[in-house]
Amino acid sequence: MSVDAAVKLQLGDLDLDARLRAADDETVAILGPNGAGKTTLLRAIAGLVRLDEGQVVIDGEVVDEPATGRYVVPERRSIGIIFQNYLLFPHLSVLENIAFGLRSRHMARGEARRRAKEWLERVGLGDRGNARPSDLSGGEQQRVALARALVIEPRLLLLDEPLAALDIGTRTELRRNLHAQLATFPGARVLVTHELLDAIGLADRLVVLDRGHIAQEGPVAAVSAQPRSRYVADLVGLNLLRGTGHDHTIELDTGGSVTTADRVSGKVCVAIQPRSVSLYRSRPEGSPRNVWNGRISGTDLLGDRVRIHVDGQVPLVAEVTPAAVGELGLQSDVEVWTSVKATDLTVYST
């Protein structure tokens, strides 16, 4: 295990109490809404924020433990950090930026420059050593920041929103390049992001942080398929309902009920794909069991589909074609009926 951090601290309104583990050759993404404590958790592991309680262990070494007074300053921890805006030194050349960490560890100038040149080649910038950071594109600055973090051969790599400063047009390619670079790093990687695509593209495992506490963690596919918080459900585009099951009925926490194809019991989550939600202007005929009345609160265009937000006792998001929007007159404040087949529900324990 490369990092095992049990972090407890109070910072303003944030009450952070979370445990994070990451093993060698593993990338863990910390995902969560703004203010959840993602960056604070990362900074606590780095030693930039002191713990109130808990312990941080990196590669077997205790580097922060308030109970015993043990605290290792950030520059003496076996970590490399990539900050959101990269924080390259504007007055230094690209080569000098990369060599900085080695020089601060008292390595001879010649050897530091030699290793920095090796890393410049590895990130594909061998001809930009004399350039200043201001001469580089955002993607090139990211690669310099990565080289500067890795040249010191850390056991743990921390990345705080490494793609956030890039424009949308270059994110996909640079996400792919970053993934390839991270695969060559033998230690643990911990990534902070609020973008699900970045987490899916870079991480092996997700840790979802909400208001300073871990709401869910696990492999990317498992968290995406069975979200346990409204935040994650929104990210992956699912409707999420909570309730208590008995036989074929789930009494929802917010009121109303859902009928299931299989028997259920106890506290459960119900995930519904927006494309599985049918919309009607009047109550559908026949005997569908999952039918609810509501009112449209908004619409969003999503590629060749339109997402319809319906408020009511059972609030749902439906996904329909633009043609259906016109045919049914689906617009804000229109009353509608929603329906979902029992076989289209995904039910799992909370």
Side-chain angles (χ1 to χ4, degrees), residues 36-280:
K38 304 184 299 295
T39 294
T40 301
L41 177 57
L42 203 74
R43 289 171 62 84
I45 295 171
L48 299 172
V49 177
R50 298 287 294 269
L51 305 187
D52 294 333
E53 298 179 51
Q55 183 188 69
V56 176
V57 181
I58 298 176
D59 203 27
E61 179 189 4
V62 177
V63 295
D64 198 346
E65 190 175 46
T68 61
R70 172 71 172 169
Y71 173 73
V72 177
V73 296
E75 58 268 26
R76 294 192 179 277
R77 301 187 183 193
S78 186
I79 58 173
I81 308 176
I82 299 178
F83 296 99
Q84 179 173 335
N85 294 314
Y86 312 135
L87 299 184
L88 300 176
F89 301 114
H91 62 290
L92 297 181
S93 69
V94 166
L95 185 68
E96 291 167 333
N97 263 278
I98 297 174
F100 179 83
L102 297 173
R103 294 288 290 139
S104 67
R105 287 164 171 76
H106 309 296
M107 180 177 288
R109 184 171 184 270
E111 177 64 11
R113 288 176 64 86
R114 185 188 67 78
R115 293 196 188 184
K117 286 179 181 179
E118 288 180 353
W119 269 98
L120 267 179
E121 294 290 343
R122 291 178 66 171
V123 298
L125 294 173
D127 60 342
R128 305 305 305 273
N130 293 324
R132 290 285 194 271
S134 59
D135 299 325
L136 305 181
S137 67
E140 289 171 333
Q141 290 183 31
Q142 182 208 68
R143 283 186 277 168
V144 173
L146 180 64
R148 185 176 66 178
L150 295 181
V151 72
I152 62 173
E153 299 180 347
R155 294 300 305 149
L156 171 65
L157 181 63
L158 306 176
L159 305 97
D160 187 8
E161 300 275 11
L163 298 170
L166 304 174
D167 61 82
I168 294 175
T170 61
R171 285 178 74 111
T172 300
E173 179 183 357
L174 291 171
R175 186 187 300 119
R176 187 165 51 248
N177 291 340
L178 181 57
H179 182 271
Q181 292 290 342
L182 293 181
T184 68
F185 176 64
R189 290 87 62 169
V190 178
L191 161 77
V192 161
T193 183
H194 66 275
E195 291 286 347
L196 182 65
L197 284 178
D198 292 345
I200 291 174
L202 296 171
D204 305 299
R205 187 160 54 86
L206 300 183
V207 172
V208 182
L209 207 60
D210 188 13
R211 289 173 292 184
H213 294 72
I214 293 177
Q216 188 175 0
E217 61 181 310
V220 174
V223 173
S224 300
Q226 297 189 351
R228 298 183 184 278
S229 71
R230 179 58 58 84
Y231 170 77
V232 178
D234 289 344
L235 279 181
V236 300
L238 293 175
N239 291 289
L240 182 66
L241 309 173
R242 292 178 179 273
T244 303
H246 177 69
D247 201 9
H248 288 276
T249 300
I250 299 172
E251 298 295 336
L252 300 177
D253 293 346
T254 55
S257 64
V258 174
T259 300
T260 64
D262 300 317
R263 285 186 169 86
V264 292
S265 63
K267 293 289 187 180
V268 295
C269 291
V270 182
I272 305 172
Q273 290 280 356
R275 293 192 182 205
S276 298
V277 180
S278 299
L279 294 178
Y280 305 88

